[in-house]
């Protein structure tokens, strides 16, 4: 069962049940409330989140695709050990995409979505008095900066790939 549960409330109306379960389980894994080797069942998770097993199964399958969970016969699931090599590889891919994005944006003939560039300036070019001090908020703004940088190239496929790597 999930240890030291986070404050799990009802799913927001803007979120699908599988997304809700996925996000909370992912947070539990990264928050070390679910540790590598911990075993859970679809039934336990469904009861914990007060949802049916269908959204739970969808969320667990997505976590499995992300390399965070491993499914077994009869609905058993286990949190997998962290694969540092995989994360290093994904980080290298992110660097390549961002370098390409910056290079592309700096070309003389680049078509740039100026509104996105303006968004970047709002994120990072603000007076000292308006700077965020909350670490989670800064991390969120940093992620938004990098995603916006890639989106500004206008290459939707590159942005989608970048979002998958980031997620």
């Amino acid at each position: 069962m999930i240890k030291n549960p986070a404050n799990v409330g009802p799913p927001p109306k803007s979120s699908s049940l599988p997304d809700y379960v996925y996000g909370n389980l992912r947070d539990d894994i990264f928050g070390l409330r679910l540790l590598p080797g911990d075993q859970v069942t679809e039934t336990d998770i469904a009861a914990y989140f007060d949802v049916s097993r269908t959204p739970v199964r969808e969320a667990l399958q997505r976590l499995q695709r992300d390399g965070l969970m491993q499914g077994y016969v009869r609905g058993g699931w286990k949190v997998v050990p962290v694969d540092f090599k995989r994360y290093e590889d994904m980080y290298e891919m992110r660097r390549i995409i961002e370098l390409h994005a910056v290079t592309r944006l700096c070309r003389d003939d680049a078509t740039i979505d100026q509104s996105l560039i303006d968004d970047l300036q709002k994120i990072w070019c603000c007076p000292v008095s308006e700077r965020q001090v909350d670490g989670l908020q800064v991390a969120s703004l940093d992620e938004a900066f990098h995603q916006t940088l890639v989106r500004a190239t206008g290459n939707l496929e590159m942005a989608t790939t970048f979002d998958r790597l980031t997620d």
Side-chain angles (χ1 to χ4, degrees):
M1 190 58 177
I2 300 174
K3 300 177 217 166
N4 304 321
N7 294 328
V8 176
K13 297 199 184 311
S14 63
S15 176
S16 72
L17 288 178
D19 288 345
Y20 167 74
V21 173
Y22 168 83
N24 279 286
L25 287 175
R26 187 174 179 273
D27 288 348
D28 285 344
I29 291 169
F30 286 121
L32 301 178
R33 291 177 292 277
L34 281 172
L35 299 172
D38 282 352
Q39 296 181 355
V40 295
T41 66
E42 292 174 8
T43 303
D44 289 340
I45 294 170
Y48 178 77
F49 289 110
D50 194 26
V51 298
S52 71
R53 286 180 49 197
T54 300
V56 169
R57 188 174 309 112
E58 289 178 37
L60 289 167
Q61 289 169 345
R62 186 171 165 196
L63 288 164
Q64 182 169 274
R65 286 190 303 272
D66 291 349
L68 299 173
M69 298 287 288
Q70 176 63 52
Y72 296 97
V73 178
R74 298 175 204 237
W77 292 83
K78 182 170 80 171
V79 179
V80 300
V82 176
D83 182 354
F84 290 105
K85 171 72 168 107
R86 180 171 180 255
Y87 287 108
E88 288 172 11
D89 291 349
M90 287 190 298
Y91 183 72
E92 181 180 17
M93 181 62 87
R94 269 188 69 149
R95 282 192 348 240
I96 290 168
I97 290 173
E98 286 188 57
L99 178 60
H100 176 75
V102 169
T103 301
R104 187 170 173 175
L105 292 172
C106 291
R107 288 191 332 220
D108 288 338
D109 64 340
T111 304
I112 299 173
D113 184 337
Q114 190 59 44
S115 68
L116 292 176
I117 299 302
D118 293 343
D119 289 345
L120 291 176
Q121 289 178 330
K122 289 176 193 169
I123 292 172
W124 292 109
C125 299
C126 65
V128 173
S129 62
E130 294 178 23
R131 292 185 184 163
Q132 293 290 327
V133 294
D134 176 82
L136 291 175
Q137 182 65 29
V138 171
S140 177
L141 287 171
D142 180 63
E143 199 54 48
F145 173 85
H146 291 276
Q147 289 173 321
T148 302
L149 182 70
V150 173
R151 275 189 179 68
T153 66
N155 184 327
L156 182 60
E157 289 301 320
M158 187 166 57
T160 302
T161 299
F162 187 81
D163 289 348
R164 257 193 21 254
L165 285 168
T166 301
D167 192 38

